[in-house]
Amino acid sequence: MGLKSFLKKISCVVFSTEYSIDSKFRFSQSEINEIISNAQKCNLKYFERLAKIKVLSAFDISFLMSDVKLDNYKLQIIEQACKMYNEKEFCALGQTFSDFIFRVSANITYLNDSNLDLFKELVQCKNELYDFSYALKNPLRVLHKKNCAKLSYAFENVFTD
C-alpha cells in the first residue's frame, strides 16, 4: 500500500466520521470557546441551561455569563423574560433582543415574578436607561403614580376678557 492510497483512505474515514456525527448543539466550537473563556468560573455550570434557550444568541449568552453572577432563580427570571419578549412590539420601538437582554442583566437582582410585567412596560418606553432599580424595588408606588397623574397646565396665568 502506497503512501498516497493510505492518505486517501484515512481522509475518507475522517470525513465520513465527521459527517456522521449528529451535533445537536447550535453553536460552533469557536463560539463555545469564546463564551467559556469570557465567562465567570461560577457561571460555567449554567452554560448548558442558557444554551437551551433558543432565542439567546452566543453573544447574549457570553454577555450573561460574564456580566451576571447566575443562580437557578436568576435563570428562571431570564427564561421568563425571554418568553415575554415580543419582536413585533420591541422592534417597532427600535429595540433588539440583545438590548432587552442587557436591560434584564442590569436589573436581574431586582426582578421577580411579580414585577416582570412592570419591567416589560419600562423597557418598552423610549429611553436610554438600563437601570430600573427604583421602579422595580417599589412597583406599587410607580404604578400608583402612573394612575394618579395630576392635572397640569401649560400656562401659569390665564387671562380672560
Side-chain angles (χ1 to χ4, degrees):
M1 181 187 302
L3 182 61
K4 190 174 182 180
S5 63
F6 177 72
L7 291 176
K8 281 184 181 180
K9 193 176 264 189
I10 292 211
S11 66
C12 287
V13 170
V14 168
F15 287 121
S16 67
T17 305
E18 194 174 298
Y19 287 116
S20 67
I21 295 174
D22 185 22
S23 175
K24 294 187 180 184
F25 216 65
R26 60 190 179 109
F27 301 122
S28 68
Q29 189 62 42
S30 63
E31 289 173 328
I32 294 170
N33 290 340
E34 185 177 335
I35 291 169
I36 291 173
S37 67
N38 293 327
Q40 296 177 16
K41 291 185 192 245
C42 60
N43 291 339
L44 290 176
K45 59 186 173 185
Y46 300 111
F47 174 66
E48 188 175 346
R49 190 164 167 195
L50 281 172
K52 288 181 181 177
I53 302 173
K54 300 277 188 213
V55 292
L56 291 176
S57 67
F59 176 73
D60 298 333
I61 292 173
S62 178
F63 178 76
L64 287 170
M65 289 186 66
S66 64
D67 191 54
V68 179
K69 186 171 170 115
L70 297 171
D71 59 21
N72 287 326
Y73 182 72
K74 289 178 182 176
L75 284 174
Q76 288 176 349
I77 295 296
I78 291 169
E79 288 170 348
Q80 290 175 355
C82 288
K83 289 176 185 173
M84 288 177 52
Y85 180 81
N86 184 347
E87 193 168 338
K88 290 179 183 176
E89 293 175 1
F90 286 92
C91 285
L93 301 171
Q95 297 180 19
T96 64
F97 183 72
S98 291
D99 292 333
F100 181 73
I101 292 298
F102 293 159
R103 290 181 183 201
V104 168
S105 71
N107 298 289
I108 193 83
T109 55
Y110 304 108
L111 289 174
N112 56 39
D113 296 333
S114 63
N115 64 10
L116 274 174
D117 292 328
L118 175 65
F119 174 74
K120 182 180 177 184
E121 287 182 32
L122 291 171
V123 172
Q124 286 178 329
C125 296
K126 281 201 166 193
N127 59 33
E128 298 300 319
L129 292 176
Y130 280 83
D131 184 13
F132 302 120
S133 58
Y134 176 74
L136 294 173
K137 283 181 189 176
N138 302 312
L140 293 177
R141 183 181 301 165
V142 173
L143 289 174
H144 179 71
K145 284 182 182 178
K146 178 182 165 185
N147 293 334
C148 297
K150 290 183 181 179
L151 293 176
S152 58
Y153 300 97
F155 301 102
E156 192 171 306
N157 297 321
V158 177
F159 300 101
T160 60
D161 285 333

